[in-house]
Amino acid sequence: MAYSTFDQLKDEVNGSGLPVADVIAEHEAHAGEKTVDEIRASMHEMLEQMRGAIDYAFTHEVHSRTGLTGGDSAKIHAITESSDVPIVLDDTFAQALAASLATGEVNASMGRIVAAPTAGSAGVLPGTLLAIAGAHGLGDDRLVDGLLVAGAIGEVFAATSTLSGAAGGCQAEIGVAAAMTAGAICAILGGSIEQVGNAAALAMQGLLGLVCDPVSGLVEIPCVVRNATGSAVALSAAQMALAGVEFPIPLDEVVVAASRIGSAIDTSLRETALGGLAATPTAQKLCDSLN
């Protein structure tokens, strides 16, 4: 049985005295009639696929069939190796952006990725977690902890709101991905369950109302680069929460607000390619060039 609210998860964690990831693993094992080891093994497999998609983009020419997207992740990855291009924040930030873009590019080129929570938003979680792991020397077991926490947060959004851009705008995809990622970062860096909730809420509040306006109806523009945007928001939210910043609106109420906002977003801004960036003159020219 999935988590329907974050308070449910928080109560389980506070009542058990165990790390949040262990509580989630036991919950999932019981619900799926599996062992904790089987649950964690499945997460390790997903982690390897996530890492493989990123590595592939960094070592191969990855372009979508339309030619609209591809190659940008390698540009940012290159500046973390050696480059005269200035890094705005630090190497971890640049790595997170590069890896998040990489997964989006692999998805757009019909490669294999892990939806997190969707294919179009699949880059935020793995790209950011792997960058954080590199910076802090975290092993795969800790990353699996992060995936478990991210999955539980995703379940909360799925239970009350939506994970579909067509139903709730891109806030339901990149927004939820950023919330999942921010909470996961807090957990693997030793944050409390309260900080995990604050991180997720802080990430989502910054992306409420984000529209889904894919050019030509393809999961390419602006979808791929929005993964990098989501990564930046997740990093910011996690840092605030770990520093003790508390968002005054509880995560469960943020989820409800997201659901209501998603329903209120005009149909033209919910994956129909009829509004937003998809309706700009340049986007229309791009559409014409593909026909």
Side-chain angles (χ1 to χ4, degrees):
M1 181 178 177
Y3 288 102
S4 57
T5 67
F6 184 75
D7 276 350
Q8 177 191 356
L9 171 59
K10 185 166 64 175
D11 288 345
E12 284 189 18
V13 172
N14 288 333
S16 70
L18 296 172
V20 58
D22 289 350
V23 171
I24 294 167
E26 290 186 5
H27 180 99
E28 294 298 320
H30 178 74
E33 298 183 347
K34 297 181 179 180
T35 66
V36 168
D37 286 345
E38 287 174 327
I39 294 296
R40 295 188 69 88
S42 177
M43 292 294 104
H44 273 283
E45 290 177 7
M46 291 187 186
L47 176 62
E48 281 307 301
Q49 182 55 54
M50 290 172 167
R51 182 182 281 121
I54 293 168
D55 289 344
Y56 186 85
F58 288 164
T59 56
H60 294 75
E61 287 285 336
V62 177
H63 293 276
S64 64
R65 294 179 182 178
T66 65
L68 293 177
T69 55
D72 288 335
S73 63
K75 294 175 184 175
I76 300 179
H77 180 60
I79 72 173
T80 66
E81 301 292 313
S82 61
S83 173
D84 292 330
V85 177
I87 296 181
V88 175
L89 291 180
D90 62 15
D91 186 70
T92 303
F93 180 75
Q95 286 282 12
L97 297 185
S100 298
L101 276 174
T103 305
E105 290 175 340
V106 170
N107 177 61
S109 66
M110 304 301 172
R112 189 180 182 191
I113 51 87
V114 177
T118 66
S121 60
V124 182
L125 178 61
T128 314
L129 282 189
L130 285 167
I132 289 293
H136 291 269
L138 306 180
D140 283 1
D141 285 342
R142 290 285 289 282
L143 285 173
V144 163
D145 288 346
L147 295 184
L148 286 165
V149 173
I153 293 171
E155 286 179 346
V156 170
F157 275 94
T160 302
S161 187
T162 180
L163 304 179
S164 166
C170 200
Q171 63 166 20
E173 299 199 23
I174 293 295
V176 174
M180 292 166 60
T181 303
I185 292 171
C186 270
I188 65 175
L189 293 183
S192 67
I193 185 62
E194 288 76 19
Q195 287 175 316
V196 168
N198 276 312
L202 284 163
M204 191 62 186
Q205 63 80 30
L207 292 167
L208 287 173
L210 183 62
V211 301
C212 183
D213 50 354
V215 172
S216 194
L218 303 169
V219 187
E220 296 193 47
I221 302 173
C223 315
V224 172
V225 293
R226 275 191 183 151
N227 278 274
T229 302
S231 176
V233 170
L235 287 166
S236 300
Q239 185 65 87
M240 285 190 282
L242 287 168
V245 175
E246 298 180 3
F247 192 61
I249 311 300
L251 178 58
D252 286 330
E253 293 184 30
V254 173
V255 174
V256 172
S259 178
R260 292 173 178 168
I261 292 168
S263 298
I265 293 174
D266 189 80
T267 304
S268 67
L269 301 172
R270 284 191 272 156
E271 209 171 312
T272 57
L274 297 175
L277 293 174
T280 61
T282 298
Q284 293 303 306
K285 290 178 182 177
L286 288 172
C287 289
D288 293 341
S289 70
L290 298 176
N291 297 326

